[in-house]
Amino acid sequence: MSTGATKPEQLVAEAPVLSVSGLTTSFMLDERRWIPVVRNVSFDLAPRETVAIVGESGSGKSVTALSIMRLIPKEIGRVEGRVTLAGRDLLTLPEASMKDIRGNDVAMIFQEPMTSLNPVLTIGFQIAEALIQHRGLSRAAAEAETIRLLDRVRIPAARSRFHEHPHRFSGGMRQRVMIAMALACRPKLLIADEPTTALDVTIQAQILELLKELQQEEGMSILFITHDMGVVAEIADRTVVMYGGQAVETDATARIFATPSHPYTRALLAAVPRLGSMDGCARPMRFPIVDKVTGSSDEPAETPDTVSTAERPLLEVAGLTTRFPIRSGLFGKVSGRVHAVENVSFTLRAGETLALVGESGCGKSTTGRSILKLTEPDSGTVLIDGQDVLAMNGRTLRDVRKHMQIIFQDPFASLNPRMSVGTAIAAPLLANGLASASQARDKVADLLVRVGLAADMAARFPHEFSGGQRQRICIARALALGPKLIVADEAVSALDVSVKAQVVNLMLDLQAGMGLAYLFISHDIAVVERMSHRVAVMYLGEIVEIGPRASVFGNPQHPYTKKLMVAVPVPDPSRRGTRRDVSNDEIRSPVRAPDYQPPVRQYREVSPGHVVQVWGEEWSG
Amino acid sequence: MATAALSTVQLAPGQAAWRRFRRHRLALAGGVIILVLVLGSAFGPYLLPFDDTYIDIMKRFAPPLSGAHILGTDELGRDVLARLMMGARVSLSIGFVAMMIAMAVGIVVGAFAGFYGGLIGAILMRLVDAVLCFPTIFLLLALAALTEPGLVTTTVLIAATAWMAVARVVEAQVRSLREREFAVAALAFGSSNLRIMFRELVPNAIAPIVVAATLNVAKAILLESYVSYLGYGIQPPAASWGNMLNNAQIYLTNAPWLAIAPGLAITLAVTSFNFLGDGLRDALDPRMNIP
């Protein structure tokens, strides 16, 4: 499976499958102005080669793919240049022949497979339909071929899942179905637009592995669009780096990673967290910030020691359990329970960052919300400064919440679109009666400056800001009440890499300056390694391993921790293919029968503070 | 992705809404007509030489455009245009005030039902359903028969039959908005429930509320004319479009203008408000993109 650095050179000799030259796509802004979104992009794609287009949001990478497929509506967009697929210029073909090419010669898969599948038709029917239409097979032959395809994309029990509807499939399995559909017509070229972005790391690793295997078997070329340098290193032979609508650097992937020439590429690579880069370093570390124009970089320093040791921990959580009943039938009888959080205990000191890591559905977000009593837990205790949060209600609960604030993943959703950001940041002060209107205004100006924005931005509305700026606004609002603890629920996950690095740096600076404690909830293990003092790994609602970050990542004990770490894509093409052992398991569900009794768990101390759950038979083999 | 790339130059929500509204010709026309009606009823009576209750028995049933009477006179020789303008004051203010009351009640009921849900929500919404089950016009007439007819009672009665639709719209909006992260964030930073309901949630439901409001004005004007036509609403000699119609029916064959003038006024006002409502619904819906 290894693809050495010599492969691209051999391939270039063959005639390219896809050749793009001088591609420029403009959108019509209003009546007469055309704004170029993609400018003069050129690259070739050889047979059996994978080219990645990598860039941050708004860099024009998706528009490039849509332009190649001529999927930009004529009324709003104009595509110029040459796109040659196996000798034919796609941009001058009549629409009828273009329809023929889409699906037959070129197939596409997207980020969110559910939107591409018809929810009321069975999976098997939808694939068979594509086969009948594009390859003219009979119904019986198409169904046989469908089952073969579902087998090819490693869907377990393909024959029995043929008649199931899309909602019965998990995200990863749906993406496999989309790949099966794309393969149905044996395309020469597969365009994959962020196909793994919405998936968990272990599932992402499976899909990448599958794509590589299928490429070998089918001999197709892949144009892979992504924002994730780790994924690029994992899959691409050659890479096109896009920035502001232009291809700033095009080269073999290995060379781009080893000797990036363009300043932007250097800035992007510097901002990519690398799992394992923090060995021998106990405290969190800032990201280096590379200037996108000059390419000069600052030297990141280890943060000062912020963790208080003497006193009692700021936050003590013991036996926290949150379950959600699933009701069904006419009288709403409880037919099952989601065991979202199951007997979770940990402590957090002032000035410390504890990361909760795990995959979707593992209960890490519910844990965060339960601590603030935004979700009502079933049992357990949460003490902040020795006060029991879960015993409080009404007035006292509102008072204690001043000490703990929460930041969410999507900063746009967590800001009221009809409130100016100044009003939004002042809202906590006014709601608690802590400041007069003029005091609040001064405080807002102060907070905006503190999170790296300008004081005069207070009058603007959330939609006028970029994603990173919005998250800074959310941080400013969380800081308004002077909290001691901030629960950051995937706070940097939705941000572009370089912005992510800046927001992480801001959070570290604020911790150093104000002695904040963070409960940092994330699925992104590489970022967690960079910014946390301690780590707790969650699986199906339980903490399976907890301890100092260096100890947990340096010496992982629990099989799940190991599995999670193996799945993280490494932004280093030279290490590709050396450590792959990916199973096709799905993430298991935390839904249990109403009478389910969770087993009593045993824990073992590996080293001081590093505790691991003793695991049972389900993890052997 | 294409739309995301386009949205780099973003319009403020208000600007975008105005653009969408401008494209809606009928709504624009409706808005202009309403403006004319409001201004006409406010200032028109001062420009006429006749008072609306001035009786000139010598000039009974003067047809339109006869002498100084532009729309003619009625059975007592009163100027129809003057009465139409004074009637517009009554009809339009009943429409607006009834809408305000219905909005206030509907928003409060809807916000509480949507925010608290559970038992409180169920009780409030079943109350809404129950009131909604009565046939409006019979409910109105039954209530009108029990009370002293007049401007205030008519307004309150009309509002009492119109708030339910608003409550339902607001309840649905608030129920979905309260799950949004900004509402959770407001809860986390210590906002009281009332503050979350009326500072955070209701302003975000403003689009459907405004639409319901305009449609409610049209409905209220229509209801007022029903009730006055049937003799339970505004009492003569005060003019309203409804009681002018009531008066006119006896003389329909020899003085048709007495019916046509208020009839046209009602039709014009109601359709204008409906068009305006349609236009606002499209303009305030951010999912409607400018093609």
Side-chain angles (χ1 to χ4, degrees):
Chain A
M1 197 58 250
S2 89
T3 31
T6 49
K7 189 180 161 195
E9 278 80 3
Q10 298 166 352
L11 289 171
V12 170
E14 288 180 62
V17 172
L18 178 75
S19 171
V20 176
S21 65
L23 182 76
T24 300
T25 303
S26 322
F27 283 119
M28 187 163 64
L29 200 59
D30 37 46
E31 276 71 45
R32 250 166 243 98
R33 279 195 303 151
W34 290 87
I35 299 292
V37 176
V38 172
R39 277 175 290 173
N40 200 14
V41 169
S42 307
F43 61 89
D44 286 339
L45 182 55
R48 289 178 304 283
E49 190 188 28
T50 302
V51 167
I53 301 183
V54 65
E56 296 181 281
S57 51
S59 63
K61 53 191 193 301
S62 286
V63 175
T64 304
L66 293 174
S67 304
I68 291 169
M69 288 290 264
R70 280 220 349 234
L71 287 171
I72 309 271
K74 273 207 175 61
E75 307 81 61
I76 61 155
R78 194 167 63 181
V79 183
E80 293 152 309
R82 274 175 68 83
V83 177
T84 326
L85 180 78
R88 284 203 283 178
D89 187 354
L90 297 187
L91 296 187
T92 55
L93 279 184
E95 187 53 37
S97 354
M98 196 60 217
K99 273 212 175 78
D100 209 39
I101 284 180
R102 287 184 212 126
N104 278 337
D105 297 326
V106 189
M108 256 184 125
I109 53 177
F110 297 96
Q111 175 172 347
E112 186 34 77
M114 195 61 195
T115 54
S116 318
L117 290 168
N118 186 336
V120 300
L121 299 176
T122 64
I123 290 292
F125 181 84
Q126 293 186 56
I127 301 177
E129 205 55 24
L131 287 166
I132 292 167
Q133 206 177 18
H134 286 285
R135 273 166 57 183
L137 298 182
S138 69
R139 166 83 40 197
E143 284 182 4
E145 177 70 6
T146 303
I147 292 172
R148 196 185 69 81
L149 282 169
L150 291 175
D151 270 329
R152 294 284 308 282
V153 295
R154 328 288 190 262
I155 289 180
R159 192 169 292 275
S160 64
R161 303 207 74 172
F162 182 92
H163 293 292
E164 284 184 17
H165 289 269
H167 70 268
R168 299 281 302 266
F169 286 65
S170 64
M173 285 297 155
R174 273 182 217 145
Q175 198 56 282
R176 285 169 195 266
V177 171
M178 287 312 297
I179 295 171
M181 235 179 212
L183 293 179
C185 302
R186 304 194 192 104
K188 298 191 194 84
L189 169 64
L190 177 70
I191 300 181
D193 189 354
E194 303 266 12
T196 60
T197 304
L199 305 175
D200 282 307
V201 266
T202 56
I203 307 299
Q204 164 170 295
Q206 293 170 12
I207 296 288
L208 292 179
E209 200 59 22
L210 175 70
L211 282 174
K212 281 195 250 177
E213 284 174 37
L214 291 174
Q215 182 175 31
Q216 295 279 312
E217 293 165 19
E218 301 276 324
M220 62 183 174
S221 310
I222 299 181
L223 183 61
F224 200 98
I225 290 153
T226 182
H227 68 282
D228 187 336
M229 284 309 244
V231 171
V232 171
E234 208 66 57
I235 196 160
D237 301 313
R238 286 192 310 124
T239 301
V240 180
V241 181
M242 282 192 72
Y243 175 56
Q246 282 172 308
V248 294
E249 191 162 359
T250 307
D251 209 338
T253 304
R255 267 204 294 276
I256 287 212
F257 276 83
T259 52
S261 62
H262 194 276
Y264 174 72
T265 317
R266 259 178 274 163
L268 198 60
L269 283 170
V272 175
R274 289 151 201 262
L275 187 60
S277 65
M278 297 279 292
D279 289 347
C281 198
R283 294 202 290 270
M285 193 187 265
R286 289 170 54 98
F287 282 99
I289 297 298
V290 181
D291 193 292
K292 282 177 190 175
V293 183
T294 62
S296 62
S297 156
D298 63 350
E299 202 48 52
E302 205 176 356
T303 55
D305 192 359
T306 53
V307 183
S308 75
T309 45
E311 343 146 15
R312 167 178 197 177
L314 175 69
L315 177 72
E316 296 158 86
V317 178
L320 189 70
T321 301
T322 307
R323 297 170 185 163
F324 300 109
I326 301 169
R327 297 179 191 279
S328 62
L330 189 59
F331 300 105
K333 193 168 159 289
V334 174
S335 60
R337 282 196 187 87
V338 181
H339 288 236
V341 181
E342 197 57 57
N343 196 15
V344 161
S345 309
F346 60 84
T347 60
L348 177 60
R349 296 187 168 278
E352 187 182 37
T353 304
L354 171 68
L356 280 184
V357 299
E359 294 181 285
S360 53
C362 74
K364 54 192 192 302
S365 288
T366 311
T367 305
R369 288 181 180 222
S370 298
I371 288 168
L372 273 82
K373 214 184 172 190
L374 293 170
T375 299
E376 192 76 37
D378 289 65
S379 61
T381 54
V382 174
L383 304 181
I384 181 145
D385 267 343
Q387 294 174 282
D388 189 352
V389 179
L390 302 186
M392 293 183 183
N393 266 313
R395 188 75 243 168
T396 48
L397 181 63
R398 283 169 60 190
D399 278 341
V400 80
R401 277 188 191 145
K402 287 180 206 160
H403 302 308
M404 36 209 252
Q405 286 295 304
I406 185 163
I407 309 170
F408 297 100
Q409 172 168 8
D410 181 352
F412 195 50
S414 48
L415 290 169
N416 189 334
R418 294 196 179 258
M419 258 189 205
S420 72
V421 304
T423 320
I425 298 171
L429 294 166
L430 299 176
N432 288 289
L434 294 178
S436 69
S438 68
Q439 286 171 320
R441 254 198 309 279
D442 294 345
K443 180 92 191 197
V444 166
D446 178 49
L447 286 166
L448 280 170
V449 173
R450 191 157 221 166
V451 296
L453 298 171
D456 58 7
M457 290 175 173
R460 296 206 221 151
F461 283 83
H463 73 267
E464 297 173 63
F465 292 89
S466 69
Q469 287 175 322
R470 284 183 202 140
Q471 197 58 288
R472 285 171 192 265
I473 293 164
C474 290
I475 293 173
R477 180 176 63 183
L479 292 176
L481 293 172
K484 296 172 182 159
L485 165 69
I486 288 186
V487 175
D489 189 354
E490 301 274 10
V492 298
S493 304
L495 304 175
D496 277 321
V497 231
S498 60
V499 179
K500 186 186 289 190
Q502 289 165 14
V503 173
V504 167
N505 283 353
L506 170 69
M507 288 178 74
L508 291 174
D509 293 346
L510 291 170
Q511 183 169 53
M514 306 168 78
L516 292 171
Y518 290 123
L519 184 63
F520 189 80
I521 298 166
S522 181
H523 69 277
D524 189 338
I525 294 168
V527 171
V528 162
E529 191 196 29
R530 196 85 190 187
M531 87 163 276
S532 56
H533 297 90
R534 290 195 304 138
V535 176
V537 181
M538 283 191 78
Y539 180 68
L540 289 180
E542 295 177 85
I543 291 183
V544 294
E545 189 159 3
I546 185 169
R549 188 254 306 146
S551 175
V552 171
F553 286 159
N555 180 23
Q557 294 294 310
H558 198 277
Y560 180 69
T561 314
K562 291 180 183 166
K563 186 177 158 191
L564 210 53
M565 290 184 64
V566 166
V568 177
V570 181
D572 182 356
S574 62
R575 280 171 63 189
R576 180 196 298 180
T578 54
R579 40 162 203 107
R580 280 286 162 189
D581 180 22
V582 185
S583 69
N584 282 339
D585 301 345
E586 293 178 66
I587 297 173
R588 283 168 47 215
S589 151
V591 178
R592 304 268 182 264
D595 55 354
Y596 174 79
Q597 284 296 325
V600 179
R601 301 293 191 180
Q602 305 290 319
Y603 295 88
R604 175 165 65 82
E605 185 157 39
V606 181
S607 59
H610 182 178
V611 177
V612 63
Q613 189 183 72
V614 178
W615 59 92
E617 302 229 314
E618 73 271 26
W619 290 104
S620 53
Chain B
M1 236 0 246
T3 48
L6 271 179
S7 65
T8 45
V9 184
Q10 275 184 332
L11 296 166
Q15 253 179 312
W18 173 239
R19 278 193 178 201
R20 286 190 292 262
F21 185 76
R22 251 187 353 204
R23 302 170 60 89
H24 213 291
R25 291 284 151 78
L26 282 174
L28 212 54
V32 171
I33 291 172
I34 290 164
L35 202 65
V36 168
L37 287 176
V38 170
L39 293 176
S41 67
F43 303 111
Y46 302 114
L47 303 176
L48 283 182
F50 310 101
D51 193 71
D52 66 310
T53 48
Y54 173 73
I55 297 172
D56 185 355
I57 213 74
M58 301 304 291
K59 289 197 178 147
R60 299 175 62 201
F61 297 120
L65 297 173
S66 60
H69 299 286
I70 299 173
L71 290 180
T73 59
D74 65 2
E75 77 280 7
L76 296 174
R78 294 176 295 195
D79 183 57
V80 172
L81 184 58
R83 289 189 67 73
L84 199 66
M85 284 170 171
M86 292 311 284
R89 285 189 179 181
V90 170
S91 293
L92 290 176
S93 31
I94 287 184
F96 282 116
V97 175
M99 176 268 282
M100 294 289 201
I101 300 174
M103 286 293 131
V105 176
I107 288 173
V108 170
V109 171
F112 272 88
F115 187 79
Y116 287 102
L119 191 64
I120 298 176
I123 291 173
L124 286 175
M125 290 323 284
R126 292 304 77 77
L127 177 75
V128 167
D129 291 345
V131 182
L132 214 50
C133 283
F134 293 121
T136 313
I137 196 73
F138 289 110
L139 179 69
L140 208 56
L141 291 177
L143 289 171
L146 297 173
T147 54
E148 191 76 18
L151 193 64
V152 178
T153 42
T154 311
T155 311
V156 172
L157 288 181
I158 289 172
T161 60
W163 60 275
M164 298 84 71
V166 185
R168 291 196 127 184
V169 169
V170 174
E171 191 258 355
Q173 291 283 324
V174 167
R175 201 173 41 181
S176 76
L177 286 169
R178 67 184 286 252
E179 305 296 331
R180 296 265 293 273
E181 279 175 355
F182 68 81
V184 180
L187 188 64
F189 62 63
S191 298
S192 64
N193 288 343
L194 280 176
R195 205 185 163 87
I196 295 176
M197 267 187 263
F198 294 105
R199 290 294 304 277
E200 306 269 353
L201 302 183
V202 171
N204 276 288
I206 204 73
I209 292 176
V210 166
V211 174
T214 44
L215 299 179
N216 248 339
V217 176
K219 203 173 139 194
I221 292 174
L222 214 51
L223 281 177
E224 184 277 326
S225 30
Y226 289 163
V227 180
S228 297
Y229 174 77
L230 293 168
Y232 289 100
I234 305 303
Q235 299 300 308
S240 88
W241 291 345
N243 68 20
M244 284 175 78
L245 269 181
N246 183 13
N247 257 352
Q249 61 177 340
I250 323 170
Y251 314 107
L252 204 57
T253 44
N254 43 12
W257 61 89
L258 292 186
I260 291 172
L264 270 180
I266 292 171
T267 313
L268 209 58
V270 171
T271 43
S272 297
F273 274 109
N274 278 328
F275 286 144
L276 186 68
D278 283 352
L280 286 176
R281 187 188 54 216
D282 294 350
L284 295 174
D285 186 350
R287 282 167 299 182
M288 297 275 296
N289 259 324
I290 314 166

